[in-house]
Amino acid sequence: MVTAIVGANWGDEGKGKITDLLAKESDIVIRFQGGSNAGHTIVNDYGKFALHMLPSGVFYGHITNIIGNGVALNIPYLLNEINDITGKGVPEPKILVSDRAHVVMPYHILFDEYEEERLAGRSFGSTKSGIAPCYSDKYAKIGFQVCDLFEDKETLMPKIENVCTLKNVLLKDLYHKPLLDPEEVYGTLLLYRDMIRPYVCNVSALMYDAIREDKNILLEGQLGALKDTDHGIYPMVTSSSTLAGFASVGAGIPPYTITRVITVVKAYSSAVGAGAFVSELFGDEAEELRRRGGDGGEYGATTGRPRRVGWFDTVATRYGCRMQGATEVALTVLDPLGYLDEIPICIGYEIDGEFTDHFPNSTELDRAKPVLKKLPGWKCDITDIRDFDQLPDECKNYVLEIEKAIGIPVTMISNGPDRDHLIWRKSSL
């Protein structure tokens, strides 16, 4: 079975925990897009970890963990992350990297920083990880794939010189920064070649064989549907497709092999970075939810920035599940809401005086106001409950209200940060 685990919203939905849970029964976990610009937080017997480049299956010895060709690969970051987890007692994981993955170069990170500096108050809130410049070069056909690192100097230098010529025009005339030196770029490629050599693999061939052998495969996405380049809140999106449909491209497998799409949904809303967020809270109300939420508070796993928080948005979540092609939903971080007497949910938008429950394009979204419905809270701790029927009636009703609104079966409910804080459920949908 090939299963995709993806997000319905702005990211930060808790995909890492769900991947970690399901990895136990899997043979392969593969990251199919994104880079080190977002993270998955996992709490297990080894401790608490925020993964950025590594797939979330690295805590199981039997799993082959793969960086797919759709990933923007920061090679030093990957190696540092491997050393970090093994330094904390995690056994050396089996890691493979696609020979077609594009390499994040140091100048990508610099260009990310320079552009954010140039835009100032009009910036996109980049993590300055070099992801957008890397993907930009990929589609401009001036990027370096992992396989390029193993070319001889005579083959590489013309390409390097062309890249430096193009980049140096911007560095000199737009950013007024130091120019790139082709020999230094070549030296970096050699360094990266030596670092990544033990992990390089023809991933599409490996995946072809794994599917023929009926291996259990998890496809792990980064961020969520609302950050997708095409279907998200453009231009405040990431630089790759966050949708399960792209997993076939980013992992090198046929699309029809993906038969299960678990879309992870948070029991309230949160987001890092700029962009439309209709149900967003502000002031003391936001700070209280932020403090209680997530796993030790709602702060970005990569940036440490306070996440924007808001009430559950049925319009955005239904749209996100539809774009992901969700077959089932994992509802996460339900437990922090136990402090509320009433819990509002956003059931629609008001745009120019008219009600809609369809997710609009970005220009209309900027004018949208939330239409809220209040549900009674359950006012107790639910982290020790493992049976849906044992949840307080108000809590069950909250889950059922969400399930009805999005139209997708809720089969898993995460009610705490640990691996065993989970309720498996048979939906009536």
Side-chain angles (χ1 to χ4, degrees):
M1 175 178 285
V2 181
T3 300
I5 298 179
V6 288
N9 301 117
W10 299 264
D12 310 308
E13 298 100 343
K15 295 181 293 298
K17 174 178 177 175
I18 303 304
T19 306
D20 178 58
L21 281 164
L22 296 182
K24 188 175 182 180
E25 308 301 326
S26 300
D27 302 298
I28 294 172
V29 176
I30 179 166
R31 274 280 307 276
F32 65 84
Q33 52 84 217
S36 60
N37 55 326
H40 290 162
T41 301
I42 293 175
V43 179
N44 56 32
D45 294 341
Y46 297 106
K48 180 180 177 180
F49 300 86
L51 302 182
H52 304 275
M53 288 300 311
L54 286 173
S56 297
V58 292
F59 302 105
Y60 293 97
H62 68 280
I63 288 177
T64 299
N65 296 275
I66 298 175
I67 306 292
N69 60 276
V71 171
L73 175 66
N74 185 321
I75 292 174
Y77 204 115
L78 175 67
L79 272 292
N80 288 339
E81 202 163 79
I82 293 171
N83 291 334
D84 180 60
I85 66 168
T86 55
K88 295 176 181 176
V90 178
E92 183 83 26
K94 183 177 182 182
I95 306 290
L96 296 175
V97 174
S98 171
D99 54 1
R100 294 177 180 269
H102 272 256
V103 178
V104 176
M105 297 293 291
Y107 56 78
H108 289 140
I109 297 170
L110 290 175
F111 271 88
D112 212 350
E113 294 173 355
Y114 297 159
E115 183 63 5
E116 287 289 290
E117 178 184 311
R118 185 185 73 85
L119 290 171
R122 298 177 290 113
S123 72
F124 293 99
S126 170
T127 60
K128 302 176 185 178
S129 304
I131 307 304
C134 178
Y135 279 122
S136 178
D137 281 3
K138 174 179 179 175
Y139 292 108
K141 297 178 282 293
I142 58 170
F144 294 99
Q145 292 184 318
V146 167
C147 58
D148 291 325
L149 304 179
F150 299 90
E151 293 277 18
D152 57 37
K153 187 173 184 179
E154 290 72 22
T155 303
L156 274 175
M157 281 309 294
K159 184 173 182 178
I160 293 171
E161 288 168 354
N162 180 55
V163 169
C164 290
T165 298
L166 294 169
K167 301 295 183 188
N168 283 342
V169 172
L170 294 173
L171 289 169
K172 178 183 177 182
D173 297 326
L174 179 63
Y175 298 120
H176 311 294
K177 301 292 185 180
L179 305 186
L180 296 180
D181 177 77
E183 288 293 337
E184 289 185 8
V185 173
Y186 177 66
T188 299
L189 292 175
L190 290 185
L191 177 64
Y192 285 5
R193 179 194 65 191
D194 294 339
M195 294 171 71
I196 203 65
R197 186 190 297 274
Y199 305 98
V200 180
C201 173
N202 183 339
V203 166
S204 65
L206 182 148
M207 295 295 287
Y208 175 75
D209 290 339
I211 290 169
R212 291 179 67 195
E213 295 166 7
D214 292 325
K215 300 286 189 183
N216 284 327
I217 300 166
L218 285 185
L219 305 167
E220 181 181 13
Q222 183 197 70
L223 295 168
L226 303 184
K227 289 290 186 176
D228 180 73
T229 310
D230 287 285
H231 299 283
I233 52 173
Y234 189 88
M236 301 301 183
V237 293
T238 193
S239 301
S240 61
S241 176
T242 60
L243 302 184
F246 180 78
S248 64
V249 177
I253 61 175
Y256 59 78
T257 59
I258 305 171
T259 56
R260 187 184 185 196
V261 179
I262 299 174
T263 303
V264 186
V265 170
K266 208 173 221 175
Y268 54 92
S269 298
S270 71
V272 172
F277 186 176
V278 177
S279 68
E280 185 173 9
L281 293 171
F282 301 94
D284 293 342
E285 198 173 24
E287 187 53 40
E288 183 72 1
L289 180 55
R290 185 179 298 113
R291 183 179 65 82
R292 293 174 178 269
D295 174 26
E298 286 289 356
Y299 300 91
T302 298
T303 64
R305 290 182 294 193
R307 292 188 182 120
R308 300 159 68 193
V309 294
W311 303 126
F312 186 88
D313 187 331
T314 64
V315 180
T317 306
R318 183 168 56 247
Y319 172 79
C321 288
R322 173 163 63 87
M323 297 313 302
Q324 293 290 12
T327 59
E328 58 190 283
V329 159
L331 184 68
T332 62
V333 211
L334 182 62
D335 48 300
L337 298 178
Y339 74 97
L340 291 159
D341 294 316
E342 290 184 317
I343 309 174
I345 63 171
C346 177
I347 60 170
Y349 299 160
E350 181 187 314
I351 302 175
D352 300 332
E354 295 188 3
F355 175 87
T356 183
D357 59 3
H358 291 289
F359 195 75
N361 62 51
S362 296
T363 57
E364 294 176 339
L365 194 61
D366 287 335
R367 305 196 303 275
K369 299 176 182 178
V371 177
L372 300 176
K373 174 181 179 179
K374 292 184 177 180
L375 300 175
W378 48 93
K379 298 292 291 181
C380 65
D381 181 14
I382 60 170
T383 55
D384 291 329
I385 297 174
R386 299 292 173 267
D387 186 325
F388 183 74
D389 290 334
Q390 292 179 7
L391 289 171
D393 288 342
E394 296 82 359
C395 187
K396 287 188 289 187
N397 289 337
Y398 185 77
V399 174
L400 294 173
E401 187 84 19
I402 287 173
E403 183 179 62
K404 180 181 176 182
I406 62 179
I408 306 294
V410 175
T411 58
M412 288 173 271
I413 300 167
S414 173
N415 58 334
D418 295 341
R419 271 180 177 167
D420 65 340
H421 289 153
L422 194 80
I423 296 170
W424 297 88
R425 173 177 174 265
K426 272 194 172 183
S427 170
S428 59
L429 289 184

